Amino acid sequence: MQEFLILEGGLHYYSVEETINRLQKLGIDTDTFTKSTYQDRPIFIIGAKESEHSKPQIWLDAKELYAVRRFSKGKKGELYEVRYDGYKDFGGHRIETWIEFWLDGKLIQTERYNQVDTTPDLSDEDFDPSKFGSIYWFKK
């Protein structure tokens, strides 16, 4: 299961029961819920208490309910952290434009997004596995 698909929008489309089930499959303790602040904004932490960064958890903006941070464990016990920021409205969808990936406390990757198109012109051919590598939905 891809964590990003749940945290970056999926939380808003699944039923509460399905969301809880998916979070539990990611190792998040859905019985643990904490209120706190992050970057001077109120947040909800699902899966851990405020200072328990070694446990799988997600942090949500308390007002808008979008992900601002998450922690997960790798197969070898390494700690992954993802920070989401720079949310903007694109076509009626609130989308992060700044993402940082941390591994054991070290920044390993950043992503910046602009000119986001939430309604690209896609065809069924774009999803045909036999066409993989021969057609592109983006401009090369």
Side-chain angles (χ1 to χ4, degrees):
M1 182 184 329
Q2 178 49 264
E3 292 174 73
F4 295 111
L5 295 177
I6 295 173
L7 302 179
E8 296 176 13
L11 290 172
H12 301 280
Y13 296 100
Y14 299 122
S15 67
V16 172
E17 294 79 16
E18 179 67 15
T19 299
I20 290 171
N21 183 43
R22 288 174 181 258
L23 292 175
Q24 289 171 343
K25 284 182 180 178
L26 293 173
I28 294 174
D29 175 6
T30 56
D31 290 329
T32 303
F33 181 86
T34 306
K35 293 179 181 180
S36 186
T37 57
Y38 177 65
Q39 297 179 340
D40 297 323
R41 294 184 58 111
I43 62 162
F44 299 134
I45 301 172
I46 302 172
K49 299 202 185 311
E50 187 172 8
S51 61
E52 296 178 314
H53 295 159
S54 64
K55 294 176 67 175
Q57 59 193 273
I58 61 171
W59 294 20
L60 302 173
D61 179 275
K63 181 180 178 191
E64 301 294 331
L65 298 178
Y66 53 75
V68 295
R69 203 172 184 193
R70 76 172 166 91
F71 293 88
S72 59
K73 287 291 201 168
K75 293 179 182 176
K76 298 177 183 175
E78 63 274 34
L79 180 64
Y80 289 99
E81 176 187 355
V82 181
R83 299 175 187 176
Y84 307 93
D85 204 353
Y87 279 86
K88 295 182 181 175
D89 185 277
F90 292 98
H93 301 279
R94 201 161 179 84
I95 298 173
E96 69 282 353
T97 62
W98 181 302
I99 304 174
E100 294 180 345
F101 298 86
W102 297 73
L103 175 62
D104 289 330
K106 295 178 184 168
L107 181 64
I108 59 170
Q109 180 177 327
T110 60
E111 296 178 3
R112 306 293 183 259
Y113 299 98
N114 57 44
Q115 299 178 347
V116 174
D117 183 358
T118 60
T119 58
D121 185 21
L122 300 174
S123 69
D124 289 342
E125 187 177 45
D126 294 321
F127 299 95
D128 183 346
S130 68
K131 308 276 184 179
F132 182 75
S134 65
I135 61 170
Y136 299 89
W137 60 269
F138 59 91
K139 294 178 184 176
K140 286 184 94 175

